[in-house]
Amino acid sequence: MAKSALLKSSIAKKVAMALSGLFLMLFLAQHFFINMTSVFSPDTFNSISHFMGNNPLVQFVIQPILIVGVIFHFIMGFVLDFKNRSARPIAYAKNNGAANSSWASRNMIITGSVILAFLGLHFYDFWFPEMVYKYVEGSPLDATRYFHELAEKFESPVRTALYCISFVLLSLHLKHGFSSSFQSVGFNNKYSKGLKNFGLAFAFIIPFGFIFIALFHHFNH
């Protein structure tokens, strides 16, 4: 009975992890499409960023949900990784993991940790200055400042390189995470192959699209 309850608890955690990951992928796609407009139209990027940054629904409902989702996803990832390693310490030592699984699947905790560090840098670069600008300094609203602030962050080759490396690891993380998410929730039918291909495309297009944006602003600032 206890073993069955433990198994159900583990499955529930994996499902929660999968659902939070899929939720964060939606945010990632939305964030990518907004940032991509900065490449083609600074005015459009400014307009969308100003709307998102001053819309009460976004700021006081969606944004807190997103932050909770990020925290939950990473805490759950560390918890599951710790439980998996604790459950079979000897097997891990003897198992030739490279022969049975990809590097990304065996090192999700590493890619996840790097992505978490990147999110810290991203918050430091954009979210905290935005909060200070609006709620601490009480500066007057300026709907034209967003493009300049974005492009300015990519002047530094070091910061640009850190962003690019983080997005390469995000690609690896997404590649494994998307397929394992559907396995965790028990989704297996005629649409599975198509969704797997979509996941592979998403894991490549979105992270490398962000890399393109970073490099574009670095070389065109």
Side-chain angles (χ1 to χ4, degrees), residues 114-135:
V114 174
I115 294 166
L116 183 60
F118 159 74
L119 284 173
L121 173 63
H122 192 68
F123 269 57
Y124 174 80
D125 277 347
F126 296 101
W127 190 78
F128 286 116
E130 182 73 7
M131 295 299 103
V132 170
Y133 180 89
K134 289 191 298 189
Y135 302 118

Side-chain angles (χ1 to χ4, degrees), residues 116-164:
L116 183 60
F118 159 74
L119 284 173
L121 173 63
H122 192 68
F123 269 57
Y124 174 80
D125 277 347
F126 296 101
W127 190 78
F128 286 116
E130 182 73 7
M131 295 299 103
V132 170
Y133 180 89
K134 289 191 298 189
Y135 302 118
V136 178
E137 296 176 350
S139 302
L141 296 179
D142 180 5
T144 65
R145 64 187 173 86
Y146 300 96
F147 177 82
H148 172 72
E149 291 176 355
L150 174 69
E152 189 178 55
K153 295 300 180 183
F154 295 111
E155 281 186 355
S156 167
V158 174
R159 180 178 265 102
T160 302
L162 288 174
Y163 268 78
C164 291

Side-chain angles (χ1 to χ4, degrees), residues 161-178:
L162 288 174
Y163 268 78
C164 291
I165 292 170
S166 297
F167 280 119
V168 169
L169 292 175
L170 174 63
S171 178
L172 295 173
H173 192 82
L174 287 171
K175 182 177 180 293
H176 174 71
F178 188 85

Side-chain angles (χ1 to χ4, degrees), residues 19-79:
L19 293 176
S20 65
L22 293 172
F23 167 72
L24 294 178
M25 285 177 66
L26 292 175
F27 161 75
L28 191 65
Q30 173 256 344
H31 198 55
F32 167 72
F33 286 117
I34 292 175
N35 282 14
M36 183 57 79
T37 63
S38 70
V39 172
F40 303 104
S41 174
D43 290 338
T44 301
F45 176 75
N46 282 332
S47 297
I48 297 175
S49 298
H50 183 71
F51 170 78
M52 297 293 287
N54 295 277
N55 184 294
L57 177 63
V58 173
Q59 291 298 298
F60 303 115
V61 178
I62 297 176
Q63 187 168 259
I65 291 174
L66 173 64
I67 292 173
V68 170
V70 170
I71 294 172
F72 175 84
H73 185 74
F74 281 99
I75 290 178
M76 193 60 65
F78 286 116
V79 169

